[in-house]
Amino acid sequence: MPTPSLPADLFPLRAGRVHEVTGPAAAAFALIQCHRGATGEGAAMLWVRPGWNPAIAFPQGLAALIAPERLLIAETTQETDTLAVAEEALTDGSLPFVLIQTTRPLNLREGRRLQLAAQAGGTTGLCLTPQDMGSNAAQTRWHCAPVFSAEDSTLMLWELKKNKSGTPGAWHVRWNWQAHRLDVVSPASLRPGGPDLPD
């Protein structure tokens, strides 16, 4: 059963490390994670994605989570280019958050290279991976999916499947569009006959 609070050492994701997320709400998880860095001048996030993927990242459509001008998108022609661009951005450290969209499992060498790059730049890296295609080098691994509810269409379930520095866990969360913050929803609110979901 999901626990009622999300520990401070897990949100936002630990900087200087590369993490992983999968699931139908993975992109929302990534954008929410980088939101805390979306202040000040310049871009807050680089999204490195395969150019051959038919799903197009449209910055204006993500404006509720991140200002379009703070999102840079790099489209690559092959997986080796994706990893090379991501490694360079992580090492450079100019951007606080690098999202790496992969299409195959990373081997241990590739995963370690990304970890070393993130440590060198003090950057947070997050691999957006297909299901069951994670790397053993990842600091944490998450699965994120929507929770279908008649009372609240914005609910998500964030499950921490792997944590090198702690224990796994699960949380029902929703993004507060007005306040631009993440709310953790108590499991008691989700039970039949329980109290209404908080505003």
Side-chain angles (χ1 to χ4, degrees):
M1 174 176 288
T3 51
S5 62
L6 209 154
D9 61 339
L10 294 176
F11 179 79
L13 294 173
R14 183 177 173 188
R17 296 289 187 274
V18 176
H19 309 262
E20 289 180 353
V21 62
T22 189
F29 173 88
L31 293 168
I32 289 170
Q33 288 290 340
C34 83
H35 186 269
R36 287 202 174 182
T39 56
E41 298 299 322
M45 173 182 172
L46 173 66
W47 186 343
V48 189
R49 65 179 305 277
W52 68 90
N53 189 320
I56 298 172
F58 187 59
Q60 284 72 19
L62 306 174
L65 294 171
I66 185 172
E69 66 272 14
R70 298 189 187 279
L71 174 62
L72 296 178
I73 299 174
E75 294 194 337
T76 59
T77 58
Q78 54 187 351
E79 190 86 357
T80 54
D81 294 335
T82 298
L83 297 178
V85 171
E87 185 177 337
E88 188 70 25
L90 289 168
T91 304
D92 180 80
S94 296
L95 298 171
F97 197 94
V98 177
L99 178 61
I100 310 143
Q101 189 170 344
T102 61
T103 57
R104 61 164 174 81
L106 302 185
N107 61 41
L108 187 58
R109 184 185 68 83
E110 291 167 334
R112 284 292 299 152
R113 284 182 66 97
L114 291 178
Q115 287 293 354
L116 291 171
Q119 291 173 24
T123 309
T124 303
L126 179 62
C127 288
L128 188 65
T129 65
Q131 187 72 34
D132 300 322
M133 291 193 183
S135 165
N136 288 333
Q139 178 71 27
T140 62
R141 180 175 299 123
W142 298 78
H143 182 273
C144 301
V147 176
F148 299 104
S149 164
E151 292 85 6
D152 187 348
S153 63
T154 65
L155 269 177
M156 293 178 284
L157 176 61
W158 287 5
E159 295 181 89
L160 179 57
K161 301 287 191 177
K162 172 189 175 182
N163 184 2
K164 281 191 173 181
S165 59
T167 57
W171 299 265
H172 282 110
V173 302
R174 66 175 174 176
W175 180 248
N176 187 318
W177 307 97
Q178 289 76 31
H180 289 270
R181 71 168 188 263
L182 185 73
D183 292 334
V184 178
V185 180
S186 168
S189 301
L190 303 172
R191 292 197 300 264
D196 292 336
L197 293 171
D199 294 328

